[in-house]
Amino acid sequence: MQFMLLFSRQGKLRLQKWYVPLSDKEKKKITRELVQTVLARKPKMCSFLEWRDLKIVYKRYASLYFCCAVEDQDNELITLEIIHRYVELLDKYFGSVCELDIIFNFEKAYFILDEFLLGGEVQETSKKNVLKAIEQADLLQEPRHEYFNVPVY
Amino acid sequence: MMTPSLKLQDLIEEIRGAKTQAQEREVIHKECAHIRASFRDGDPLHRHRQLAKLLYVHMLGYPAHFGQMECLKLIASPRFSDKRVGYLGAMLLLDERQDAHLLITNSIKNDLNQGIQPVQGLALCTLSTMGSAEMCRDLATEVEKLLLQPSPYVRKKAVLTAVHMIRKVPELSNIFLPPCAQLLHERHHGILLGTITLITELCERSPAALGHFRKVVPQLVQILRTLVTSGYSTEHSVSGVSDPFLQVQILRLLRILGRNHEESSETMNDLLAQVATNTETSRNAGNAVLFETVLTIMDIHSAAGLRVLAVNILGRFLLNSDKNIRYVALTSLLRLVQSDHSAVQRHRPTVVECLQEPDASLSRRALELSLALVNSSNVRAMTQELQGFLKSCPPDLRADCASGILLAAERFAPTKRWHIDTILRVLTTAGTHVRDDAVANLIQLIGGAQELHAYSVRRLYSALAEDISQQPLVQVAAWCIGEYGDLLLEGSCEEIEPLQVEEEEVLALLEKVLQSHMSLPATRGYAFTALMKLSTRFHGDNNRIRQVVSIYGSCLDVELQQRAVEYNTLFRKYDHMRAAVLEKMPLVERDGPLVIEEAEESKEAQLSEATPIPTEPQTSKLLDLLDLLDDDTEDAQHLAPRDPSPEGALGHLLNLPCHPPALYQTLPPIPNLQVFEREGLQLNLSFVRPSEIPALLLITATATNSSGSDVTHFVCQAAVPKSFQLQLQAPSGDTVPAQGGLPITQLLRILNPNKAPLRLKLRLTYNHFGQSVQEIFEVNNLPLETWQ
């Protein structure tokens, strides 16, 4: 995988994970163009499109678009499964996740993603293991909120 | 007293509360100022909070480079919260382009070596996301050590970090290849998955590695088999499929190992068949595995039966209600259509149905695939389907569809008539989208099918009468009408209903095209030339045509104007040549331009009259004209440079050079002379003396017949004094039809080097009113200008 972007229906970026080295300017340009392209797609269209020399796999969950750029030899259908697994993980962690959770806890979204994918590849296929790892890490965080053992910034 | 810094979530609330972009900017600028101050003052307690806020505004698009150094400080801190945010910041703000990135190498090294797993995890994650080549070189040994650590959590990350390192520094493959064998024995799915990914990366980069790992094919087959046959596992199953991620990765590695290797391919054959038949297909996860299996089967040396099975799976995918599945099926079938053509052919009906897909990316693939499946046995049916598609397809596919149909028609047309019909239909439906050479191709095709001339011209005439807006169609129709106008008038053609067409109607239609604002300049050129050609095909008095021609002599379009002037000259001074110049075109060769260029030069040579022309002007073999005239090249130099005609080579043929009028303009025109009249038959002489060759006199003898009876077997002979040289060219015919029918013209060339007074004797023989007539007489009253 080359990168993953999460954005709202208004085109606001909620998460950007880049697995290839690009300048800030290039990232902004790609993001802008891709967001525009995906938002222009009609609801009945399929989840795959060709963009530049990449394959784009995207899926909308409620008000958020999950968009991945994969290479030519990558399997689009399994990429859909990767997106779905990530959504499931977020859902399990936040309890019925919604866009606001991702906005207010964006750093958590990154931490969870980083336990599922590494360097653009799947590192852990067990949901249980991923969530356990996040829990462990959360426990190590200091300081803690007074009443809930949840790290607070 | 320092104000306590905003909590992250509070800042986010504040930003979201901003009503306008300007307000948001204000909030952010204010907060960034605080953050900057906080960084300057060095507040270790809240540094992680400040950076987190900074990362948030960075995602909104605001600059955050001043946080880079803070990332370093946070990573170096012993506190986990600091490290977590610090590493996240490094991944978001630092990359190999900044020199600062190297500074975290040491911290990463330390974190890799200390024992707390989550910390090691952070370090490995960061290294594999933004690690540059230098960093990878520096830290390769640390990562190698971690491959053998007891904790699966760390090992799985170490393996994937190794993958990243090899991508950045391929030489590191040497370090990471040896551990693979042992790692392959892992039971932990994460480590196994990482290992398979690592082996894949190694094999893709080095043929030596590829050879080395072929020996693990049996082991891979075993792992996959266990996965497939094992029952449901809460931990790893997705929609009834055991760890589809791992299955797909193994299948991909098997593909790479089995490619071009008979033995390995054989080892995996059974397993692939098993996966292909047993995988659950109701949900996407199963289909993802099935898809990868198909790709592997098609890429290795699989048994024929297995290949057919794979293509059939794709065929089934085409019927799946999930359009994503249909998409991958169409894409894959497109890749296979060359190598496994007959297997894919079996699914042709389904593919054709996919043309109706509302999603443009699917219908585009369906179109490409459909075109690839056309062959000589299904061409009629397929063309029908594709023509239907052409009518309703989205505009961006029109051009491809039209060219595709035309190409298929060219390759597989069962009959010429079908071919012409097909092109006609395409031009009518999608005329504006066809490629430029479609017009030339169709003209060439029609020209070559002599038996279909009448048919073609009728069809085209009807199409044109209905609609003059589709330019390629109009161009072809105009050309055809010009060429075969006589066939159009004949009335009956066995293949289509009789069509009664009057000359006036045809001329009116062409004039309409000429005047229409929808017609492109090229189209008007075609129509104009067609009109001119009809002057010899039709039997009317050409007044209408002459009128149009003279009007366009002052047309603003330079191309049209030039033609009009030339045609006008053709009417007035070279009427005897008109029939020859405008006669039916010979078949243009496919590499036509060469022939046409030579023909042009010959035409120019003809008109410049520098040396005797031994051949008849009516000759139908253009190439014969090339035999004449030593002065060919010289004459070519005298010509004004010609603008390239926009409509292509065919137009050039009738582009008569326009300089003859210029050459002759210096001399006042010599008046015509009527030399003979008997019972309605008249003979007129017109004279021309080219200024370049004062000794030359050109006489055009025109015989007209206003009587009620035809004049036939007309022959005119001439004689001149000895000092003159006379050459008589072949007449345009030997019949002058009654009531002002088409006159006979004949050219006489007289060379008078001594400037002696001209004397001319004529002998006429012909049949008129049922009687044969002979008349011999000397021409009196020859104007002085003819010899002085």
Side-chain angles (χ1 to χ4, degrees):
Chain A
M1 190 182 299
Q2 297 221 342
F3 58 84
M4 182 191 284
L5 302 173
L6 265 67
F7 50 90
S8 70
R9 277 194 291 173
Q10 289 76 42
K12 278 235 145 92
L13 201 60
R14 299 299 178 207
L15 184 143
Q16 49 173 336
K17 189 76 188 180
W18 299 85
Y19 294 109
V20 286
L22 291 166
S23 72
D24 236 11
K25 200 165 135 207
E26 285 170 300
K27 287 182 191 166
K28 280 210 172 109
K29 182 161 186 263
I30 291 174
T31 306
R32 193 176 48 235
E33 283 178 27
L34 198 50
V35 167
Q36 231 176 12
T37 309
V38 172
L39 288 177
R41 304 269 292 179
K42 302 196 195 62
K44 290 291 184 180
M45 297 177 95
C46 73
S47 296
F48 313 129
L49 62 104
E50 264 138 34
W51 185 80
R52 299 202 187 171
D53 59 339
L54 293 169
K55 295 205 278 203
I56 305 293
V57 180
Y58 74 94
K59 191 146 183 199
R60 195 179 120 207
Y61 288 85
S63 60
L64 265 185
Y65 282 88
F66 288 70
C67 185
C68 299
V70 295
E71 276 135 5
D72 209 38
Q73 62 271 34
D74 290 326
N75 182 332
E76 292 100 320
L77 298 178
I78 206 74
T79 312
L80 275 177
E81 288 300 319
I82 290 176
I83 293 177
H84 191 73
R85 173 57 63 90
Y86 182 44
V87 172
E88 283 180 321
L89 291 167
L90 291 168
D91 197 52
K92 209 65 205 276
Y93 182 82
F94 287 109
S96 266
V97 68
C98 64
E99 193 187 341
L100 278 178
D101 291 318
I102 313 278
I103 293 170
F104 281 94
N105 300 281
F106 73 96
E107 79 282 8
K108 301 282 181 36
Y110 277 105
F111 298 152
I112 295 171
L113 185 61
D114 286 342
E115 290 299 332
F116 175 41
L117 302 178
L118 199 83
E121 308 287 340
V122 176
Q123 69 176 280
E124 181 58 69
T125 57
S126 157
K127 257 188 284 189
K128 188 178 80 180
N129 288 352
V130 173
L131 293 165
K132 207 160 57 163
I134 299 284
E135 251 179 63
Q136 303 266 18
D138 283 350
L139 282 173
L140 282 181
Q141 287 229 190
E142 31 347 33
R144 275 164 194 48
H145 191 282
E146 266 186 311
Y147 301 108
F148 311 101
N149 212 15
V150 168
V152 163
Y153 284 113
Chain B
M1 170 67 178
M2 202 173 64
T3 43
S5 62
L6 272 180
K7 293 216 187 77
L8 168 66
Q9 307 215 326
D10 295 336
L11 173 64
I12 297 177
E13 284 237 37
E14 207 183 316
I15 291 174
R16 287 172 63 77
K19 301 275 192 319
T20 65
Q21 187 77 3
Q23 217 178 347
E24 179 187 284
R25 258 199 301 269
E26 214 187 290
V27 170
I28 290 177
H29 281 163
K30 202 170 79 174
E31 186 57 36
C32 282
H34 283 151
I35 295 175
R36 265 204 175 91
S38 161
F39 286 161
R40 260 200 321 270
D41 300 337
D43 176 7
L45 215 55
H46 296 114
R47 191 178 286 136
H48 65 278
R49 170 194 290 177
Q50 306 295 49
L51 185 64
K53 287 188 282 183
L54 191 57
L55 292 178
Y56 182 78
V57 305
H58 174 251
M59 188 152 59
L60 293 178
Y62 294 85
H65 47 273
F66 54 90
Q68 283 169 5
M69 282 307 165
E70 303 307 307
C71 295
L72 267 62
K73 292 188 194 146
L74 284 166
I75 290 171
S77 155
R79 297 166 79 219
F80 185 72
S81 343
D82 285 352
K83 283 188 193 286
R84 227 180 177 190
V85 180
Y87 275 119
L88 179 62
M91 286 191 273
L92 290 174
L93 301 180
L94 285 176
D95 64 47
E96 50 190 50
R97 290 148 200 269
Q98 283 104 24
D99 296 327
H101 86 279
L102 287 169
L103 298 170
I104 62 173
T105 311
N106 225 30
S107 295
I108 293 183
K109 190 180 218 165
N110 292 337
D111 284 341
L112 287 178
N113 286 329
Q114 53 77 64
I116 304 172
Q117 289 179 28
V119 172
Q120 290 172 310
L122 288 177
L124 286 168
C125 178
T126 306
L127 184 51
S128 66
T129 306
M130 50 74 73
S132 65
E134 297 106 277
M135 285 170 73
C136 291
R137 273 195 211 99
D138 286 341
L139 299 165
T141 30
E142 317 303 318
V143 173
E144 193 198 349
K145 272 194 291 201
L146 294 174
L147 286 175
L148 308 165
Q149 255 217 350
S151 149
Y153 177 79
V154 175
R155 288 169 77 195
K156 77 185 182 201
K157 291 182 193 271
V159 174
L160 284 179
T161 308
V163 173
H164 174 83
M165 288 181 149
I166 290 173
R167 285 177 182 158
K168 283 296 189 189
V169 187
E171 299 84 69
L172 292 174
S173 307
N174 301 329
I175 305 184
F176 293 118
L177 192 147
C180 288
Q182 195 187 342
L183 287 167
L184 214 48
H185 292 286
E186 279 297 319
R187 308 286 301 268
H188 188 277
H189 282 223
I191 301 180
L192 202 50
L193 183 53
T195 308
I196 308 268
T197 312
L198 178 57
I199 296 176
T200 307
E201 193 68 35
L202 288 164
C203 290
E204 275 176 341
R205 284 176 187 278
S206 141
L210 184 59
H212 170 85
F213 280 112
R214 283 224 173 88
K215 60 177 188 274
V216 304
V217 168
Q219 198 178 352
L220 292 170
V221 166
Q222 188 50 42
I223 296 171
L224 187 52
R225 185 171 282 131
T226 314
L227 258 184
V228 169
T229 51
S230 72
Y232 173 77
S233 139
T234 37
E235 216 181 329
H236 296 290
S237 291
V238 180
S239 315
V241 181
S242 311
D243 206 336
F245 305 105
L246 183 55
Q247 285 198 43
V248 164
Q249 205 66 19
I250 296 175
L251 285 163
R252 192 160 142 184
L253 179 55
L254 285 175
R255 178 154 81 246
I256 293 171
L257 294 173
R259 203 181 273 151
N260 295 327
H261 197 249
E262 197 72 54
E263 202 190 312
S264 302
S265 302
E266 246 172 278
T267 317
M268 25 176 124
N269 254 308
D270 285 343
L271 172 68
L272 292 173
Q274 193 180 0
V275 177
T277 39
N278 291 338
T279 306
E280 180 66 47
T281 57
S282 56
R283 305 289 295 278
N284 186 60
N287 286 322
V289 173
L290 212 50
F291 180 48
E292 196 73 34
T293 312
V294 166
L295 292 178
T296 301
I297 292 175
M298 298 318 289
D299 221 9
I300 64 171
H301 278 224
S302 37
L306 200 54
R307 287 183 87 87
V308 172
L309 175 63
V311 175
N312 288 345
I313 291 175
L314 291 177
R316 263 200 338 258
F317 274 5
L318 277 183
L319 298 165
N320 197 305
S321 51
D322 184 347
K323 61 181 85 69
N324 293 329
I325 309 273
R326 294 203 295 276
Y327 178 94
V328 302
L330 284 171
T331 314
S332 309
L333 284 171
L334 202 52
R335 268 188 267 165
L336 297 176
V337 73
Q338 302 301 336
S339 53
D340 296 77
H341 192 89
S342 44
V344 181
Q345 272 286 358
R346 244 170 265 149
H347 300 279
R348 189 169 56 83
T350 327
V351 173
V352 168
E353 265 177 49
C354 288
L355 286 171
Q356 308 305 325
E357 292 274 358
D359 184 345
S361 47
L362 265 83
S363 56
R364 173 182 291 281
R365 280 177 170 69
L367 175 64
E368 276 180 58
L369 194 51
S370 301
L371 288 171
L373 287 175
V374 178
N375 60 27
S376 42
S377 45
N378 62 33
V379 65
R380 282 185 196 261
M382 284 300 274
T383 311
Q384 191 108 328
E385 295 278 356
L386 290 166
Q387 300 244 3
F389 178 63
L390 186 61
K391 283 204 191 95
S392 56
C393 75
D396 51 343
L397 288 179
R398 280 250 166 116
D400 291 328
C401 189
S403 340
I405 296 175
L406 292 178
L407 208 69
E410 207 178 295
R411 288 176 66 195
F412 302 112
T415 64
K416 276 202 173 153
R417 182 172 146 190
W418 179 92
H419 196 178
I420 291 174
D421 278 343
T422 305
I423 302 186
L424 208 64
R425 213 170 302 139
V426 172
L427 288 181
T428 326
T429 324
T432 39
H433 297 269
V434 297
R435 275 197 344 244
D436 295 334
D437 60 355
V439 172
N441 285 344
L442 181 55
I443 287 178
Q444 207 253 357
L445 184 65
I446 294 175
Q450 199 174 358
E451 66 282 11
L452 291 167
H453 285 173
Y455 173 76
S456 308
V457 72
R458 262 160 232 285
R459 289 286 318 270
L460 284 163
Y461 179 80
S462 309
L464 187 64
E466 266 189 50
D467 176 16
I468 63 168
S469 63
Q470 302 265 35
Q471 296 304 292
L473 183 65
V474 174
Q475 288 176 5
V476 177
W479 183 88
C480 255
I481 293 171
E483 278 293 299
Y484 312 121
D486 46 335
L487 297 175
L488 187 57
L489 296 177
E490 263 159 35
S492 66
C493 165
E494 62 213 26
E495 280 154 330
I496 46 183
E497 284 142 41
L499 180 69
Q500 210 38 43
V501 180
E502 301 295 321
E503 281 184 19
E504 292 300 310
E505 285 179 314
V506 181
L507 296 177
L509 185 57
L510 285 174
E511 281 173 33
K512 188 171 160 203
V513 171
L514 205 50
Q515 290 155 11
S516 165
H517 64 277
M518 290 187 282
S519 299
L520 295 173
T523 311
R524 296 168 81 199
Y526 272 94
F528 196 68
T529 303
L531 265 175
M532 190 59 191
K533 287 191 210 172
L534 288 178
S535 72
T536 55
R537 312 278 196 267
F538 285 175
H539 303 296
D541 60 4
N542 291 338
N543 276 337
R544 187 167 181 169
I545 297 176
R546 294 183 126 159
Q547 238 182 347
V548 175
V549 165
S550 68
I551 289 172
Y552 275 82
S554 46
C555 172
L556 283 175
D557 180 327
V558 176
E559 170 71 30
L560 230 47
Q561 188 194 114
Q562 176 171 335
R563 283 167 189 265
V565 170
E566 289 166 6
Y567 293 160
N568 218 6
T569 312
L570 199 56
F571 268 126
R572 287 200 282 116
K573 295 208 170 88
Y574 296 93
D575 209 33
H576 57 282
M577 309 191 71
R578 187 163 47 86
V581 170
L582 297 172
E583 68 172 22
K584 287 224 172 67
M585 296 265 286
L587 184 59
V588 180
E589 296 299 326
R590 254 319 165 95
D591 23 289
L594 196 60
V595 177
I596 290 169
E597 237 102 59
E598 293 166 339
E600 265 178 70
E601 282 182 16
S602 71
K603 289 275 183 252
E604 292 142 23
Q606 230 181 357
L607 290 170
S608 58
E609 329 282 50
T611 50
I613 304 170
T615 56
E616 301 174 357
Q618 277 149 301
T619 196
S620 57
K621 293 279 175 278
L622 283 171
L623 291 171
D624 284 353
L625 293 173
L626 294 174
D627 292 338
L628 33 107
L629 318 194
D630 315 320
D631 293 9
D632 254 7
T633 43
E634 236 179 69
D635 294 333
Q637 279 157 22
H638 292 311
L639 297 173
R642 190 182 324 269
D643 290 340
S645 187
E647 71 274 24
L650 288 169
H652 286 170
L653 192 57
L654 297 167
N655 255 355
L656 305 169
C658 135
H659 69 278
L663 273 180
Y664 306 147
Q665 261 159 30
T666 50
L667 295 171
I670 306 170
N672 291 356
L673 188 66
Q674 183 186 319
V675 300
F676 177 81
E677 207 284 327
R678 178 172 161 167
E679 291 168 308
L681 176 65
Q682 244 183 31
L683 189 69
N684 283 326
L685 298 182
S686 62
F687 307 93
V688 175
R689 282 185 73 185
S691 58
E692 284 187 344
I693 309 146
L696 182 65
L697 172 68
L698 299 170
I699 304 179
T700 307
T702 310
T704 53
N705 180 8
S706 55
S707 73
S709 169
D710 293 351
V711 168
T712 58
H713 302 91
F714 181 93
V715 177
C716 169
Q717 287 159 317
V720 290
K722 278 210 181 67
S723 61
F724 292 79
Q725 277 176 51
L726 170 67
Q727 198 185 57
L728 220 59
Q729 299 223 339
S732 63
D734 67 349
T735 304
V736 192
Q739 317 282 25
L742 197 66
I744 295 173
T745 54
Q746 188 164 18
L747 183 65
L748 290 79
R749 297 178 51 144
I750 298 173
L751 263 177
N752 181 8
N754 302 331
K755 280 212 165 170
L758 177 66
R759 287 175 66 187
L760 185 65
K761 213 169 191 179
L762 294 175
R763 177 172 180 262
L764 307 175
T765 55
Y766 59 91
N767 290 348
H768 198 195
F769 291 114
Q771 291 190 318
S772 55
V773 179
Q774 183 187 262
E775 293 272 355
I776 303 177
F777 56 90
E778 182 164 355
V779 178
N780 299 318
N781 308 323
L782 281 168
L784 285 168
E785 296 92 341
T786 55
W787 56 271
Q788 264 187 349

